[in-house]
Amino acid sequence: MFSGSQNEINPSSAVAIMVSLLVAIDKTSAPSNATPLCFSINSPPFRHNHTIASAYFSAVFSGLGLSSNLFALVVLAKTFHHTKSRSRSSFLLFLGGLVFTDFMGLLVTGSIVVSFHITHFNWRQLDPHCHFCNFMGMSMVFYGLCPLLLGAAMAVERFIGINRPFARSTAMSNSRACSTVAMVWVTAGCISLLPLARLGSYHLQIPGSWCFLNISSRPLDMIFGLIFSLVGLLSLAVSFLLNTVSIVTLLRVCCGQGSAQRRRDYEVEMMVQLILIMTIASVCWCPLLVFIAQTVLSGSELDVRHLLLWLRFATGNQVLDPWVYILFRRAILKRMAPKMDWSRGSIVSLYPTISTSFRKLTRASLGGTIERLDHIRLNPDKARQEDMPLPVLDANVASSSI
């Protein structure tokens, strides 16, 4: 979709690798007369009928999410091809990777859940060796961690771009952005494959339409559940910390005085989108991640109703992510508020009374970073000279001068 994406690893390729690995361990599976591991706790058929897990909810969420992500991908592709800014193009690559991952996650998991509600297939007859259940469990973990890890990677990219602009201009290219997205996919894929090494396990979950990691206090299951929860929570914490520092720095620069102020309207737009992505991910995923951690640590019985409720919250993240970019673009905001000045410092100009407060706050909290940005803003030519390496004198000239 985007240029410069040769280094990317397509999630569909990762899915194929997962399936081949599942088939490779067929020799180690349990005897045919024994209960397969994935059905050892919950075995079909089920008589539970939770409204939150009904066919209606699954079909609506999957349809809305797939159409939204597909539309966002088209808009992102058009914007990317018309973008000349390097910082914005790399941010769009990250955003494109996020939207594409959400699309694939809904396509893979949603098709399985909707198919179950339509056909009411029997898991034990369809999947006697748990390959299909393990595949869905890995997909749930993989496509669950990817958006959180990508959000943290985007926060790091924006932090470097705003606080270390010269370092970012040489360090972050489009190919490196694609490599970072690929590394996130590989990391999430490795975590999802841990149950194949007997660290944790995937089990069929009530009401029988999906498989997920076994949420229990058994040692190996507890370790895997904590890994899943802590990786997700740590990603959200990193995003919150770095985005907070970036926002404070950006507001300080936007509130700066003088006619030589840099144009940072696109950076404000990107930060608004990133803050919204982080907020949506926190609201959608924190309840499920905390619920899993609390359940495995306390050793209490799994509350199926709350599990289904928090899972639906997490699914909402894949539906809402694309609308952040669809709705919160400068082109859309200009149409919604045509009388507003969107040329520079547009968002901050709405609240002129906060300029002094943020100037004092950011100077006290960020110190050297703000001083450096002010120096660059007021003396751009001198700043470039200071960043140039010192000249190396010729040996003959040096000896003659001595």
Side-chain angles (χ1 to χ4, degrees), residues 48-347:
H48 299 274
N49 185 20
H50 296 277
T51 305
I52 195 67
S54 65
Y56 173 78
F57 273 97
S58 302
V60 170
F61 267 74
S62 299
L64 181 60
L66 288 172
S67 58
S68 300
N69 282 281
L70 186 61
F71 179 62
L73 282 173
V74 174
V75 176
L76 276 168
K78 292 182 178 179
T79 306
F80 180 82
H81 288 299
H82 292 87
T83 298
K84 298 179 180 179
S85 171
R86 179 182 294 184
S87 62
R88 192 161 186 251
S89 62
S90 61
F91 181 81
L92 290 176
L93 286 172
F94 279 112
L95 199 56
L98 174 64
V99 174
F100 180 67
T101 304
D102 287 340
F103 176 82
M104 290 298 300
L106 285 170
L107 182 63
V108 173
T109 60
S111 59
I112 297 176
V113 173
V114 173
S115 298
F116 171 82
H117 287 297
I118 294 176
T119 63
H120 298 285
F121 59 81
N122 188 300
W123 279 88
R124 294 199 63 167
Q125 296 178 359
L126 179 69
D127 185 30
H129 300 292
C130 293
H131 295 327
F132 192 45
C133 184
N134 287 336
F135 167 72
M136 185 177 186
M138 287 188 295
S139 299
M140 295 286 290
V141 172
F142 174 80
Y143 291 112
L145 289 179
C146 275
L148 304 179
L149 293 172
L150 282 172
M154 293 166 69
V156 172
E157 191 275 340
R158 281 292 80 213
F159 174 81
I160 298 174
I162 292 176
N163 294 274
R164 297 290 185 269
F166 288 124
R168 187 242 175 265
S169 62
T170 57
M172 184 60 68
S173 60
N174 288 347
S175 60
R176 185 159 297 187
C178 294
S179 299
T180 304
V181 174
M183 287 178 59
V184 168
W185 287 339
V186 170
T187 302
C190 290
I191 295 176
S192 68
L193 290 172
L194 287 178
L196 296 186
R198 300 297 185 259
L199 181 59
S201 57
Y202 294 115
H203 286 252
L204 184 66
Q205 305 291 334
I206 297 174
S209 59
W210 61 299
C211 291
F212 194 49
L213 60 91
N214 186 30
I215 306 174
S216 73
S217 57
R218 297 176 181 176
L220 295 179
D221 289 333
M222 180 177 66
I223 292 175
F224 184 57
L226 289 177
I227 290 175
F228 176 76
S229 300
L230 293 180
V231 169
L233 292 173
L234 182 61
S235 299
L236 292 174
V238 170
S239 300
F240 177 80
L241 178 61
L242 296 183
N243 287 336
T244 301
V245 176
S246 299
I247 280 290
V248 172
T249 305
L250 189 58
L251 286 173
R252 171 64 185 91
V253 175
C254 289
C255 292
Q257 298 175 348
S259 58
Q261 180 177 339
R262 290 177 58 194
R263 292 175 57 92
R264 304 184 73 93
D265 48 350
Y266 280 115
E267 291 184 351
V268 172
E269 176 194 31
M270 288 186 287
M271 281 308 306
V272 169
Q273 294 171 354
L274 189 54
I275 289 296
L276 289 173
I277 290 174
M278 179 193 69
T279 303
I280 291 173
S282 300
V283 172
C284 293
W285 275 101
C286 273
L288 179 62
L289 296 174
V290 174
F291 171 79
I292 293 175
Q294 286 181 342
T295 302
V296 299
L297 289 175
S298 63
S300 58
E301 185 178 355
L302 179 64
D303 189 337
V304 176
R305 186 174 184 84
H306 280 91
L307 174 62
L308 294 175
L309 177 62
W310 303 140
L311 178 70
R312 187 60 67 198
F313 265 70
T315 307
N317 182 33
Q318 297 173 317
V319 178
L320 296 175
D321 270 345
W323 289 102
V324 171
Y325 183 75
I326 293 174
L327 296 179
F328 292 90
R329 291 178 294 137
R330 293 175 70 247
I332 302 298
L333 295 176
K334 285 180 179 180
R335 295 178 183 178
M336 295 174 59
K339 296 182 180 181
M340 189 178 300
D341 179 19
W342 295 98
S343 59
R344 50 180 279 202
S346 55
I347 294 180

Side-chain angles (χ1 to χ4, degrees), residues 9-81:
I9 299 177
N10 196 302
S12 59
S13 301
V15 168
I17 296 175
M18 292 179 186
V19 174
S20 63
L21 288 173
L22 288 173
V23 175
I25 64 170
D26 182 53
K27 295 182 180 180
T28 63
S29 59
S32 57
N33 58 348
T35 301
L37 179 62
C38 62
F39 306 124
S40 60
I41 297 178
N42 299 316
S43 183
F46 299 102
R47 296 183 179 180
H48 299 274
N49 185 20
H50 296 277
T51 305
I52 195 67
S54 65
Y56 173 78
F57 273 97
S58 302
V60 170
F61 267 74
S62 299
L64 181 60
L66 288 172
S67 58
S68 300
N69 282 281
L70 186 61
F71 179 62
L73 282 173
V74 174
V75 176
L76 276 168
K78 292 182 178 179
T79 306
F80 180 82
H81 288 299

